[in-house]
Amino acid sequence: MSYNLSEGSLEVIMNGGHYDKPIMQVLGSKKIQGSGANERFRLLVSDGRHSHSFAMLATQLNDKLITGELSDYSVVQIDRFVTSLLKNTGKGEKRVMIILDITIIAPGTSVGKKLGNPQTWTEESATSNPAPVMQPVPKPNLIPTPMSKPASTTGMNMNTSINSSLLSSQMTHPIASLSPYQNKWVIRARVMNKSGIRTWSNAKGEGKLFSMDLFDESGEIRATAFKNECDKFYDMIQVDKVYYISRCQLKTANKQFTNLKNDYEMTFTADTVISECTDDSSSLPDIKYDFIPINTIADKSPDTIVDIIGVCKYAADIQELTAKSTGKLLKKREVTLVDSSGGAVSLTLWGSEAEKFDGSSNPVVVAKGARLTEFNGSKSLSCLASTMMRLNPDLAEAHKLRGWYDNGGADMDIVNISANGEWLTFRDAESRQLGSGEKGDYYSLLGVITFTFSDNAVYKACPQDQCNKKLVDQDNGLYRCEKCNREYPNFKHRLLMTASVSDPTGDQRVTAFNEAAEAVLARPAAELGQLLDYDKSGYAQAFDDVKFKTFVFKFRAKVETHNDETRLKTIVMNAQPVDYKDANARLIKSIKTITGIQV
DNA sequence: CCCCCCCC
């Protein structure tokens, strides 16, 4: 098998000319920056005559390298690329090619060797001053009078003739080529996401800001507007619109705070110029989504950032809560999304997003960049400030889902991966050897309380909010907390109850901590504490009353080892009254499954 | 210059 490389194409491109879909061979690759989501790779490519390491892979193609699909010696067709002249510290200018689309014609393993005898392309091989090939900017009035100000707040040694030639040639730069070392550029970018205005006040001062995520075909970048720029640009910047943007400050992005694939971020300055691009936005890509089927979320790790699309099957009421760490009042709404994978997942919305959400018409919900969280063994998604949400977007996937849902999907049996464990019997739990794993196993069970142990079920706990340690009575009116290492005149009552639960297949000794025990006994811990101290028979009655009551239990099973003795510990996560409609539906379903009778 | 992204 022989491969026809596009001999000479590299020289044409390096000289700023265009070459349609050149065929080249990849001779090597190197990570040039970042890690994880911010990786960027440079390729050594050859056209058979020359080789050069000037090619950068657009980050959306990183996977091809990481998975090995794009291995050394691969022969590829470069379907789409842009080039950009970078000013290189001390070395004049340097052209880079950003590969936007690539077809692998032959994998490296089947080529197996370097084709031809390519010579390393050098600057000296360049012919004179080419016309750069870039997208023309259709003359918006955006570029300030060139050189009216001394360039650079970065302290770089800017060459003004290069600056003015870059400006006068009116071309746009790919976002992927932006760096702090080069501050004369214009990007043409679509707004993917825009934050609200946020204010801050700390030791260093106060102010306000908003930020936005921008992207073009080469990559994406976060941009932030502070104070004056916040006021100046907030109304102008609109999600999904395309803008020419120039004269921003670039700085290293703090990866701790961003999911965007860029090592840099932009800050608007007093010099920043932005103008909307109204004439031809079609050549800019739409927002890229990497949707995953809902039923695959269960296999992913907590903190994974995912793009999700689903029909809103239910939207819970808004809930208000106080964040323990900050004391901040929070509003949240949990929305259940379903898709044709047969999975359902809970997505948590926050703040104004939660307030304004209306799920009554079962909208298709898109969330780009939601975070997977795990709580009590079940996985769900949560919106971050950087998560982009859309309702009923004009997307092929959204229309397909709408069709699926409206034509039977709404009635499909779904598995809710955010539901707290599957429905099991005690026999199931035993035969599956639940609880042998590191984290324990969670399951739901319909069962009867057969016995409650009232002795020591109430204790005097440390009054500190976070501390529930049992106090030592000092017999002097003070109680000592060993954990806090201090004494208190007061305490709070908490519950720690042992009980027996039975279902038709077996029984189990279980432990219920405070809230779960309160739910079982239908009394607050403080009241039981009062009964214990002042009304012993009332106390005993409270524990008797609950015997032979049926609950829907959520259990956590975990095998624990104490003094060489292992036993299964089952903790009641919560106990709820039986929803008979729901319980009967499950019963009927399992009868159908067991008997094979479909009605 | 922000950097919060939460809760059970």
Side-chain angles (χ1 to χ4, degrees), chain A residues 24-63:
Chain A
M24 298 204 192
Q25 185 180 31
V26 175
L27 296 178
S29 63
K30 189 182 173 191
K31 184 156 86 176
I32 50 171
Q33 58 183 223
S35 61
N38 292 306
E39 286 175 319
R40 184 171 283 287
F41 293 94
R42 196 166 73 183
L43 298 182
L44 174 61
V45 294
S46 153
D47 67 358
R49 189 182 299 168
H50 290 113
S51 66
H52 195 40
S53 59
F54 79 133
M56 281 157 67
L57 207 57
T59 46
Q60 68 265 25
L61 301 179
N62 280 359
D63 271 357

Side-chain angles (χ1 to χ4, degrees), chain A residues 277-296:
Chain A
C277 172
T278 50
D279 52 320
D280 178 22
S281 55
S282 59
S283 67
L284 263 191
D286 292 328
I287 293 168
K288 285 238 174 37
Y289 299 97
D290 192 10
F291 294 127
I292 57 168
I294 289 173
N295 68 353
T296 65

